[in-house]
Amino acid sequence: KNFEKTYQTFQTKLPKFLKKMTLKKQSKGTKLTFSLLYLHYLFNPASKIEWSKINPLNKSDEINYNDLKKPTSPTSILKKIAVLKLNGGLGTSMGCIGPKSLVPIFKNKNFLNIIQEQLSFFESTYKINMPLILLNSFNTHSQTEHFFKKENKPFNAIIQNQFPKIDTLSNDPFISTVNPEQEWNPPGHGDVFLALHESGWIDHLINDDKDYIFISNSDNIGATIDISIPNYMAENNIDFLMETTKKTMLNISVMLK
């Protein structure tokens, strides 16, 4: 009975969301993704990650970084790499109202300034072209574009798709009478693959002889290109590789004045 009731809710409510997404000109892929997640939400409205069930990878799935080797010809690998930074987050947790990547962090330089300097190092050292692509949300796109124009730098950006927010009391689309834009939220970093495909950037990069995309958060300037990682991927014909570290629980209280 619970299954039938929940599925009936899904059949009744989903068309409202899809109509709203159609008016917002969201793609078929985005609608399908939202539909699956909405169905999961209805069946598991209070689901949470249980930390007791988080375990390290099996040793057979791990590649020890110390076992990696650098290529004999770095240029041959580096010229096939494009860089994509996930730039959809606002700095609300730091008391900011704009993109986190524009927060000054060192000698009046922000995250994007430092990212550009990192890429310039590789380009000038190895005489290559390493394109920078930003995955923006509708919250961060305009301010980021303004920054690049002011800096007179090339601006390559993809705007994330949008999901309608859910009213948790009625399971209907959330309605805001004050600001309709508050009825929407970015779908998160998992949207990067669909966004790359639908934007045409995958085809563009393939035509430009790029074989690898290095993806990291725009506010993580410690995440830089390490030639030994794509070299390992090339030698072992690996399509996807993720650098991981052990997860820890850490509670930090921050007072923003």
Side-chain angles (χ1 to χ4, degrees), residues 70-138:
K70 296 188 182 299
T72 54
S73 176
T75 303
S76 63
I77 293 288
L78 287 169
K79 69 181 182 181
K80 293 182 176 293
I81 297 175
V83 176
L84 189 147
K85 294 292 182 176
L86 304 171
N87 191 53
L90 296 171
T92 50
S93 61
M94 296 181 284
C96 305
I97 57 174
K100 285 188 290 185
S101 58
L102 296 182
V103 175
I105 54 173
F106 177 71
K107 294 183 178 179
N108 293 323
K109 294 180 180 180
N110 57 42
F111 292 97
L112 291 178
N113 288 135
I114 295 176
I115 288 169
Q116 289 174 329
E117 289 179 358
Q118 291 172 338
L119 295 186
S120 294
F121 166 79
F122 284 103
E123 291 186 321
S124 60
T125 303
Y126 296 96
K127 311 301 182 206
I128 58 170
N129 172 41
M130 189 173 286
L132 171 64
I133 309 163
L134 299 175
L135 182 68
N136 294 332
S137 67
F138 58 90

Side-chain angles (χ1 to χ4, degrees), residues 21 26 30 33-34 37 161-165 183-187:
M21 296 178 78
Q26 295 301 288
T30 309
T33 303
F34 174 81
L37 291 173
N161 295 299
Q162 299 183 47
F163 281 174
K165 292 181 180 178
E183 299 175 6
W184 300 86
N185 63 270

